[in-house]
Amino acid sequence: MSLPDQPAPDSVHAAAAGTTEATRKPGVLAWALWDWGSAAFNAVVTTFVFSTYLSSSYFIDPAIVEAAGGNAEDPALVAAEASNASLIGVALMIAGILIAVLAPVLGQRSDGSGRRKLWLGINTGVVVLAMAAMVFVEGTPGYLVLGATLLAVGNVFFEFAGVNYNAMLVQVSTRENMGRVSGFGWGMGYVGGIVLLIILLVGFIGLGDEPGPLGITEEGGLSIRLAVLASAVWFAVFAIPVLLRVPEIPARARANRVGFFASYRVLFGTLRKLWHGNRQVLQFLLASAVFRDGLAGVFTFGAIIAAQVFGFTSTQVLYFAVAANVVAGVSTILAGRLDDRFGPKNVIMASLIGLVIAGTAVLFIGTAAVGFWIVGLILCMFVGPIQSASRSFLARITPEGREGEVFGLYATTGRAVSFLAPGLFALFVGLSGDTRLGILGIVIILLAGLLLMLPVKTQQVAID
């Protein structure tokens, strides 16, 4: 198989990180700090704070809330909550379609252009602006559409930024330490999430009924909105080092000098060569695209289920978020050793089975908060290992000398089907009127990823 021209792996690493471990370490830390900062979007916006805020009673007609009189099972209140959750799901489904159509080509066009950091900076900047604009989403029903739109925009450009960021893995690592560097990035993301959530919990949202030390009230969701604004600043600050300290990948003379629509022909040509020469890579890319969308669904809609089904307050969701990040971080580190001993595919398969079982259990644990704590933390225990083992798996099956483009393709397909989980979540919630049943859509996606992963082989295929 002959893929489009690209620098030899050694030249990429030498240009990006120098020839000594000492010069490589600063680049690794600078690269991983983007992951640390990205927790501001992953943990705060899509999972534990802003998405929960949008699904709260702030955005339900006050007359319905008043008529319910504190009865969480009031039919009108339940229907209104389900409608709001469905709207959020539709917004994220539209975002997923845009990602599926645009992300692969945008990633392919930036490969070898010498502008990977530029596009990482631009896309990260749009995410930061979308987060900052969330401060204007007041806690009234009239602002729900604005909030859902900003959430969708943030998701689109966060995935575009991730295309460039993940592709930069080859610029800060070698084939021998790629797994450790990738795992370090994931670990930094979890630790960053813990630190940021504690800061927001103590400083902005408060630990109980009283405001935090800054005295910010909950009126109109002000404490939540300012917490998201602070998170935007956090992301912006920690995104700077990768732009300054990691050298740009060298430009290629013939790198994607075609028009935008012609880029699709280039992309399809690469896929065709993989199909004929190394089909297992494509099989893994398809399986991982599906099960990673399921993982995204766990994070995006888990907090919504916690709030609407199990009655978690914003503060309780943040408590859970801190515990979830601790569990995910520890399990990811431990799974790295299992990865080396038993192989990444076994880690992925076992984790997917655990997620399917735990996700299904959500349907049978009643409405007691302790049930969600137990099942939710079990879910989080399997998420990190899948993410880290997926990178390791692809590194092992990628033909030598093709790492840059194949890892870029992996990054672009990460959310290529990202409309599935939001779409199925919205479908099950819309059909049943019960937010809890949305978990069925996520479980179906995870199970599909598990089945697609079964035939994928683990050994590398040598290709001339």
Side-chain angles (χ1 to χ4, degrees):
M1 179 181 71
S2 176
L3 296 180
D5 295 339
Q6 66 177 38
D10 290 342
S11 67
V12 172
H13 293 305
T19 59
T20 68
E21 191 68 23
T23 57
R24 188 178 297 118
K25 286 181 179 178
V28 170
L29 179 59
W31 177 78
L33 282 175
W34 190 93
D35 239 331
W36 169 286
S38 71
F41 187 79
N42 282 328
V44 176
V45 173
T46 65
T47 307
F48 297 114
V49 179
F50 189 71
S51 61
T52 306
Y53 170 60
L54 289 181
S55 64
S56 69
S57 60
Y58 281 114
F59 298 92
I60 296 176
D61 187 340
I64 295 177
V65 176
E66 184 177 355
N71 178 15
E73 298 182 358
D74 179 81
L77 182 61
V78 170
E81 290 176 339
S83 176
N84 286 359
S86 181
L87 186 147
I88 295 170
V90 169
L92 292 176
M93 180 183 68
I94 294 173
I97 293 173
L98 291 175
I99 293 167
V101 171
L102 298 176
V105 164
L106 293 179
Q108 175 257 317
R109 286 176 63 81
S110 69
D111 189 25
S113 67
R115 297 180 179 179
R116 186 170 288 163
K117 288 201 303 182
L118 171 65
W119 287 109
L120 174 62
I122 290 174
N123 290 315
T124 301
V126 175
V127 177
V128 169
L129 290 176
M131 293 173 64
M134 291 174 185
V135 74
F136 300 110
V137 182
E138 297 181 13
T140 60
Y143 283 88
L144 178 62
V145 172
L146 173 62
T149 300
L150 290 173
L151 182 62
V153 169
N155 268 273
V156 169
F157 284 92
F158 186 80
E159 291 301 328
F160 291 168
V163 166
N164 296 282
Y165 173 74
N166 289 332
M168 288 176 70
L169 175 61
V170 297
Q171 294 168 237
V172 294
S173 67
T174 65
R175 192 169 181 83
E176 289 72 27
N177 70 3
M178 186 176 290
R180 295 194 301 274
V181 172
S182 178
F184 178 63
W186 283 119
M188 287 287 284
Y190 286 123
V191 174
I194 295 169
V195 173
L196 178 58
L197 288 169
I198 291 175
I199 292 173
L200 298 181
L201 187 63
V202 174
F204 290 83
I205 299 175
L207 296 173
D209 295 331
E210 297 297 324
L214 298 179
I216 303 172
T217 68
E218 296 182 356
E219 184 176 355
L222 181 62
S223 60
I224 298 294
R225 290 151 51 201
L226 290 180
V228 176
L229 179 62
S231 300
V233 175
W234 173 282
F235 194 5
V237 169
F238 288 108
I240 293 173
V242 69
L243 302 177
L244 298 180
R245 299 298 302 277
V246 178
E248 183 58 88
I249 193 170
R252 297 200 304 266
R254 296 188 294 113
N256 305 321
R257 304 301 187 189
V258 296
F260 177 81
F261 292 104
S263 295
Y264 283 95
R265 290 197 298 270
V266 176
L267 176 67
F268 294 147
T270 299
L271 294 173
R272 184 167 54 251
K273 292 168 185 175
L274 284 172
W275 175 262
H276 291 296
N278 198 2
R279 197 167 300 179
Q280 64 175 330
V281 173
L282 285 181
Q283 290 175 328
F284 176 72
L285 291 173
L286 174 60
S288 66
V290 173
F291 67 65
R292 281 186 287 163
D293 184 49
L295 298 181
V298 170
F299 280 119
T300 302
F301 298 108
I304 293 176
I305 292 174
Q308 293 192 0
V309 178
F310 296 92
F312 277 48
T313 65
S314 296
T315 300
Q316 289 173 325
V317 168
L318 280 182
Y319 284 143
F320 179 83
V322 172
N325 276 270
V326 171
V327 169
V330 171
S331 65
T332 302
I333 294 172
L334 295 177
R337 298 186 178 185
L338 297 176
D339 184 323
D340 292 333
R341 183 172 181 180
F342 300 107
K345 180 178 178 179
N346 288 326
V347 173
I348 293 171
M349 297 292 289
S351 298
L352 285 172
I353 292 171
L355 284 171
V356 169
I357 294 173
T360 304
V362 172
L363 300 173
F364 305 101
I365 57 176
T367 58
V370 66
F372 185 84
W373 270 94
I374 295 172
V375 175
L377 291 180
I378 291 175
L379 282 166
C380 294
M381 183 174 67
F382 294 114
V383 169
I386 291 180
Q387 294 170 323
S388 61
S390 293
R391 276 181 175 171
S392 172
F393 186 93
L394 191 57
R396 295 169 195 259
I397 67 171
T398 298
E400 186 174 356
R402 273 49 173 206
E403 296 88 351
E405 183 163 6
V406 174
F407 265 94
L409 188 57
Y410 168 77
T412 64
T413 57
R415 288 292 300 273
V417 293
S418 58
F419 56 91
L420 289 178
L424 286 182
F425 180 88
L427 176 63
F428 278 99
V429 171
L431 291 176
S432 66
D434 186 350
T435 303
R436 181 199 297 265
L437 290 182
I439 193 67
L440 280 177
I442 298 173
V443 168
I444 289 173
I445 298 301
L446 293 169
L447 183 59
L450 173 64
L451 295 176
L452 289 170
M453 190 68 195
L454 284 173
V456 179
K457 298 178 181 179
T458 58
Q459 74 272 18
Q460 186 185 76
V461 177
I463 298 176
D464 295 331

